[in-house]
Amino acid sequence: MNDTGQRSAIVTGGGAGIGAAVVASLLERGYAVTAIDLHFDRKHDDPRFLPVEADARDEGRCRELVSSTPDLRLLVNCAAIRPEAPVLDQTVEGFRAAVDVNLTAAFVLLQAAASAMDAGGSIVNVCSAAAYGKRHLAAYGASKAGLVTLTKVAALELAEHGIRVNAVLPGTTDTPMLQQVRRPSSSGGRSPRNVTQLVLKPAEVASSVVRVAEDPMLSGAVVPVGLLPYEW
């Protein structure tokens, strides 16, 4: 896909929502982008865009994609599933699935990408305010809390290699995943956990992801997008 020395990025969950918005933003900034997802709501008519229909849990396939991507500069871990159930009703199968997609797959890609990157490489993990506790999101929240810790540990260990690792923590964002589970508030409207009290757009979160990814002075940070610290 990229034999011109152009900088490359890999985005998991790049077929819809925040991941798709990140892909679009990176293409605008001149990256060659490999996007991994089960299916794609949007495909760009751009020779620098490579959509790969694959499961982020497929370790062999993901490691192969990393090894075949020249001049890899950026990894964005955005793939996620969001099972919702009271803790007493949450199935072990659903809990394991959330950990596998949201945390283990991110670890595999992080490990593979960091091994392939030169100094100056960047990794951004898309987390969630649910990492700090939210009713009915034990599986999702626990997996995202693990991703926060993975971010901090990887930042410490990869600093000597010149690779930065950060996380972004979006407030309520209008994505297909949220639309599937969102319930109206008592007033009949949405109840976003955002500073503006408005539901964020994926492009707004993607803009923050790119800023964090490209800030050479930032590593080990968990950056809230539209959230105040007390809302975590």
Side-chain angles (χ1 to χ4, degrees):
M1 178 183 68
N2 175 21
D3 57 3
T4 63
Q6 185 177 53
R7 58 185 178 170
S8 297
I10 293 176
V11 180
T12 70
I18 294 171
V22 170
V23 169
S25 182
L26 291 175
L27 288 172
E28 290 176 359
R29 295 185 68 81
Y31 285 84
V33 183
T34 297
I36 304 170
D37 212 330
L38 294 176
H39 64 273
F40 287 80
D41 292 345
R42 176 186 178 188
K43 292 186 178 180
H44 302 267
D45 185 18
D46 188 320
R48 299 168 302 154
F49 174 59
L50 177 63
V52 178
E53 293 187 353
D55 193 323
R57 293 171 292 185
D58 186 340
E59 178 180 352
R61 181 71 172 120
C62 287
R63 290 188 184 276
E64 176 188 358
L65 285 169
V66 170
S67 65
S68 63
T69 301
D71 199 17
L72 179 61
R73 303 285 188 87
L74 173 62
L75 166 68
V76 179
N77 277 314
C78 198
I81 60 173
R82 190 178 186 269
E84 183 168 345
V87 69
L88 295 180
D89 297 331
Q90 175 63 64
T91 65
V92 173
E93 179 183 18
F95 194 96
R96 284 176 176 155
V99 172
D100 285 347
V101 174
N102 303 349
L103 180 56
T104 307
F107 164 74
V108 169
L109 266 298
L110 181 151
Q111 186 183 64
S115 298
M117 287 175 173
D118 294 329
S122 177
I123 297 170
V124 180
N125 297 317
V126 178
C127 295
S128 166
Y132 298 94
K134 188 175 181 181
R135 290 171 60 88
H136 298 170
L137 291 177
Y140 181 71
S143 64
K144 290 297 188 178
L147 192 56
V148 168
T149 300
L150 175 62
T151 297
K152 292 179 176 294
V153 173
L156 289 169
E157 296 187 5
L158 295 176
E160 63 184 88
H161 301 287
I163 296 171
R164 296 177 298 104
V165 187
N166 293 288
V168 295
L169 196 77
T172 306
T173 307
D174 190 14
T175 64
M177 183 169 65
L178 183 65
Q179 291 165 7
Q180 292 173 3
V181 298
R182 183 170 54 215
R183 293 185 295 272
S185 67
S186 58
S187 63
R190 296 167 172 171
S191 298
R193 299 176 69 180
N194 295 333
V195 172
T196 62
Q197 292 303 301
L198 298 174
V199 175
L200 296 172
K201 297 177 181 178
E204 293 172 325
V205 179
S207 178
S208 294
V209 169
V210 174
R211 285 199 301 271
V212 168
E214 295 188 337
D215 187 336
M217 300 303 293
L218 199 64
S219 193
V222 180
V223 180
V225 181
L227 287 169
L228 293 172
Y230 69 81
E231 294 182 294
W232 294 14

